[in-house]
Amino acid sequence: MDYFVTAFDGIRTLTPLAVMIRAVVAVIVGGIIGLERGMKNRPAGLRTHMLVCLGACAIMMTNQYVYQCFHTGDPVRLGAQVISGIGFLGAGTIIVTRHNQIKGLTTAAGLWASACIGLSIGLGLYEIAFIGALMVFLVLTTLHEMDYRMRRNTRVVEVYVELNKKTALGDFLRNIRALGIEPSGIQLEHDEMTGNTLAFVVTLKGSKPHSHNNTLAAVRGMKGVTYVEEL
C-alpha cells in the first residue's frame, strides 16, 4: 500500500494537471457503472452516472481548494452534502407501478455509489475509486443472474390475476389451496372491476421452493382465470 501512496503523491495535490486527471477518471469510472444500467434501458444510464460522478468529483476538489488556499472550513463539508443530496436524484428513478411494484432501487443505489466514488476521486483517493468502481460493476453484472435465479425459485410469488366474473373469488381461493399453495394479501384492483372481469393482486406461497413458472402455469389452468401476470 505504501508503494501506491507514494506513486500517487504527485497527483494528490490539487494542481491543474491533477484537476484534469481527476475529471477524466470520474467520467470514465462513472461511465463504467452507467454502462450496465444503460444496456438494460434503465432510467439513469451512461450519461447520468458520468455526470453524477463528475459533479461529486468537482465538489470535492472545490472543497479541497477552499481548505488549502484559505486554510479555513471543513475539508469534507461539501462532500457530506453530496451524499445526502444525491437521494433526491435517486428517488426520481424509483417508481411504483399501478400494481404497487417498486422499480428502480438498484439504479438509485448505483447513482449513490457513483457519487461516493466521485467524492473519493475528487479527493485524490484513486485506489478506493478504482476498487469501488470495479466492485459496483461486478455486483451489477455478474450477480444479476444469481439474483434472478434466487427470486424465481422462492416459495413466494406475487401475481396479478383477472377472473371471469362468473367465477367467485372464494372458488379461486379454494382451488388454489387445493394445489398446496396458500394465498394472502389480496388487493382488489377497483379500476379493473368493470365489464366481465374481476382483477386483483395476490401473494401465493407454496409449501416448498419451486419455479415461479410452475405456479403461474397452475393458476392459468384454473377455471375462470382469464389472465395471470407475475409482479
Side-chain angles (χ1 to χ4, degrees), residues 66-203:
V66 171
Y67 184 75
Q68 288 182 354
C69 292
F70 299 100
H71 306 289
T72 185
D74 186 346
V76 293
R77 182 176 181 180
L78 293 180
Q81 304 308 310
V82 172
I83 292 176
S84 58
I86 193 64
F88 290 98
L89 181 60
T93 69
I94 301 174
I95 60 173
V96 180
T97 68
R98 68 190 185 101
H99 299 316
N100 292 324
Q101 272 187 291
I102 299 176
K103 294 181 176 292
L105 286 175
T106 302
T107 300
L111 285 172
W112 186 81
S114 183
C116 294
I117 291 171
L119 292 175
S120 66
I121 297 172
L123 200 56
L125 299 176
Y126 302 100
E127 306 95 321
I128 295 177
F130 282 118
I131 293 174
L134 178 62
M135 292 297 101
V136 171
F137 183 77
L138 290 177
V139 167
L140 291 176
T141 54
T142 62
L143 297 184
H144 178 265
E145 183 64 25
M146 180 185 298
D147 181 58
Y148 176 77
R149 289 179 180 274
M150 288 175 60
R151 288 186 291 107
R152 294 294 295 179
N153 292 282
T154 58
R155 295 171 57 187
V156 179
V157 55
E158 191 172 24
V159 296
Y160 167 78
V161 181
E162 290 183 1
L163 282 181
N164 189 307
K165 276 199 172 179
K166 294 181 180 179
T167 303
L169 180 58
D171 292 338
F172 170 84
L173 297 178
R174 283 189 290 271
N175 292 336
I176 202 69
R177 288 193 180 100
L179 297 176
I181 302 173
E182 184 63 30
S184 63
I186 300 174
Q187 303 175 36
L188 294 178
E189 299 284 320
H190 297 289
D191 293 340
E192 303 293 338
M193 294 177 61
T194 58
N196 298 317
T197 301
L198 171 64
F200 57 93
V201 175
V202 60
T203 300

Side-chain angles (χ1 to χ4, degrees), residues 19-50:
V19 170
M20 183 177 297
I21 292 174
R22 293 180 193 183
V24 172
V25 171
V27 170
I28 293 174
V29 169
I32 290 173
I33 298 174
L35 180 64
E36 188 274 343
R37 295 285 87 187
M39 292 176 64
K40 292 181 179 176
N41 197 30
R42 293 301 189 261
L46 181 69
R47 294 182 298 170
T48 303
H49 282 79
M50 282 181 172

Side-chain angles (χ1 to χ4, degrees), residues 7-15 17-19 21-22 123-124 126:
F8 284 117
D9 273 344
I11 52 177
R12 290 192 196 278
T13 305
L14 197 62
T15 63
L17 176 61
V19 170
I21 292 174
R22 293 180 193 183
L123 200 56
Y126 302 100

